[in-house]
Amino acid sequence: AQKITQTQPGMFVQEKEAVTLDCTYDTSDPSYGLFWYKQPSSGEMIFLIYQGSYDQQNATEGRYSLNFQKARKSANLVISASQLGDSAMYFCAMTPSGGGNKLTFGTGTQLKVEL
Amino acid sequence: EPEVTQTPSHQVTQMGQEVILRCVPISNHLYFYWYRQILGQKVEFLVSFYNNEISEKSEIFDDQFSVERPDGSNFTLKIRSTKLEDSAMYFCASSVLAGEVAGELFFGEGSRLTVL
């Protein structure tokens, strides 16, 4: 069984600052995928970034980067230069090896960007 | 940019009624999914669908639920006899890949179901 833990129910960050959202995971699968999704107040789920467990480099997508530390089983999301529009709920998720896109989600972190 | 579309965006129904939620996945995608999110809780996997059959389902997906791809474009979730606890946001998703290394999963905007 897989498990995702997000220990920060809420985070505040000042506009233009960087913020790190924590995610740790537990799995016995040798290969897996890690995802981050953003859910604004309107409710839709927006894909942000993906990291494969065998990827040598940390994934980056614009202002988003994933700090992947395999030995520590952590996959933290770093948002650089925060914007007001980044205020949303952020979910970390993972899929097992050969398990397609059956995502297991964490409980989420509510990020609020302040002026 | 291609997107997954869902209808209705919000449906209110009486307990015991049948509900059908509709989704149009991205046209070249091969794998289709339903997830749900009870208000204030995390998103949960319900079912995955590939090659016109269910490939995996969770324990939530009991006999009250069914999925269908009635034509080349729509993907539906039917709840036969709704219960109060079925009230949730239901997300449809699709992807091109789903093998050894999972591909990017595209979600629709969700259908909010309220059971009274």
Side-chain angles (χ1 to χ4, degrees):
Chain A
Q2 302 189 311
K3 187 177 178 184
I4 293 280
T5 302
Q6 294 179 257
T7 57
Q8 306 154 312
M11 288 279 286
F12 289 89
V13 66
Q14 294 255 305
E15 196 182 19
K16 298 177 187 170
E17 297 289 308
V19 63
T20 298
L21 306 183
D22 294 342
C23 173
T24 57
Y25 60 90
D26 191 23
T27 182
S28 54
D29 290 311
S31 69
Y32 45 88
L34 294 155
F35 299 76
W36 277 93
Y37 283 86
K38 173 183 177 182
Q39 187 178 44
S41 58
S42 50
E44 72 268 32
M45 295 287 285
I46 302 168
F47 168 81
L48 295 178
I49 198 165
Y50 168 79
Q51 177 87 42
S53 59
Y54 285 116
D55 292 342
Q56 294 296 316
Q57 293 190 322
N58 286 346
T60 59
E61 289 284 348
R63 293 186 299 110
Y64 303 108
S65 60
L66 199 152
N67 184 3
F68 180 47
Q69 297 187 46
K70 195 170 183 177
R72 297 179 66 179
K73 293 190 174 179
S74 74
N76 298 339
L77 177 71
V78 180
I79 305 174
S80 62
S82 298
Q83 301 170 357
L84 294 178
D86 293 334
S87 294
M89 181 71 92
Y90 288 80
F91 289 99
C92 181
M94 74 181 302
T95 59
S97 161
N101 279 316
K102 179 188 172 184
L103 292 171
T104 298
F105 282 84
T107 50
T109 295
Q110 183 72 49
L111 177 66
K112 183 85 169 24
V113 181
E114 299 174 316
L115 288 169
Chain B
E1 186 174 321
E3 58 182 17
V4 177
T5 56
Q6 289 185 241
T7 54
S9 56
H10 190 190
Q11 181 157 356
V12 181
T13 190
Q14 294 288 328
M15 192 167 56
Q17 295 294 304
E18 176 183 283
V19 159
I20 297 176
L21 305 178
R22 292 183 167 79
C23 169
V24 180
I26 295 173
S27 61
N28 65 331
H29 285 191
L30 302 175
Y31 299 84
F32 315 113
Y33 312 83
W34 284 100
Y35 284 78
R36 81 168 185 194
Q37 184 182 29
I38 294 171
L39 188 64
Q41 298 186 24
K42 60 182 177 181
V43 179
E44 301 171 291
F45 169 81
L46 289 179
V47 66
S48 58
F49 191 87
Y50 170 71
N51 202 25
N52 283 321
E53 60 183 25
I54 290 173
S55 46
E56 193 165 3
K57 60 183 181 179
S58 72
E59 57 193 27
I60 302 168
F61 194 88
D62 61 22
D63 292 344
Q64 292 296 314
F65 291 90
S66 62
V67 288
E68 196 177 36
R69 189 156 160 81
D71 52 44
S73 60
N74 289 286
F75 178 52
T76 61
L77 174 70
K78 183 194 286 186
I79 309 173
R80 266 182 263 284
S81 177
T82 49
K83 303 188 280 277
L84 294 176
E85 54 265 37
D86 294 328
S87 295
M89 180 76 96
Y90 288 81
F91 291 102
C92 175
S94 69
S95 65
V96 175
L97 302 172
E100 186 67 22
V101 177
E104 182 179 331
L105 193 62
F106 289 84
F107 282 85
E109 294 196 344
S111 292
R112 182 166 296 285
L113 175 65
T114 302
V115 182
L116 302 176

